[in-house]
Each structure stands twice: as structure tokens, then as C-alpha cells.
Amino acid sequence: MREELQNYDWHTYGLRLEDIDYTLSLVKNALEERREVVCNQRSVLEKQNPECADDIMDDVSYYSYD
């Protein structure tokens, strides 16, 4: 490991408790937005091609959880 990384003061520049709360809120908002997008896509697909809508949304949901 480089000397600079071994002697780096990780505690000075580390996360604060507020940073963790902010990060969790960002993730929660991103998940909610993604859920809304998927629901909107499903409604559009059901109008255009109702037979394939479930299969397409299954693929979208599967790949978003990897």
C-alpha cells in the first residue's frame, strides 16, 4: 500500500452521523422514484401490449435488483 494511504487520517475526513442519514434518505428517494417509473412503464405497456407487459416488467424488475 502506498505510504500516503497508510498514514491518511481517516477519522478526520470520515462520515458523520448526518452523512449516514442523508445517504439513507437519498437511497430511499431513489428507490421510490424507481418504483414510480416501473409503475408508469407497466401502465403504458399494458395499454400497448397487454399480453407481453408482465414478461417485460419481470425482466425490468429482475435486472434492477442485481
Side-chain angles (χ1 to χ4, degrees):
M1 182 182 285
R2 292 187 329 206
E3 185 67 29
E4 296 86 6
L5 294 176
Q6 288 178 347
N7 295 327
Y8 187 76
D9 185 9
W10 294 100
H11 297 287
T12 302
Y13 300 104
L15 289 175
R16 299 173 306 190
L17 187 58
E18 296 83 19
D19 295 331
I20 295 171
D21 292 337
Y22 178 68
T23 303
L24 290 175
S25 70
L26 283 177
V27 171
K28 182 179 176 184
N29 290 340
L31 290 173
E32 289 173 0
E33 292 292 327
R34 175 67 180 151
R35 188 176 301 121
E36 286 181 29
V37 167
V38 168
C39 289
N40 289 341
Q41 288 176 342
R42 175 179 284 282
S43 65
V44 169
L45 284 172
E46 285 175 346
K47 291 176 186 173
Q48 293 176 349
N49 194 351
E51 297 85 26
C52 296
D54 286 335
D55 292 336
I56 293 170
M57 292 313 298
D58 286 343
D59 291 343
V60 169
S61 298
Y62 174 79
Y63 290 113
S64 66
Y65 290 118
D66 279 348

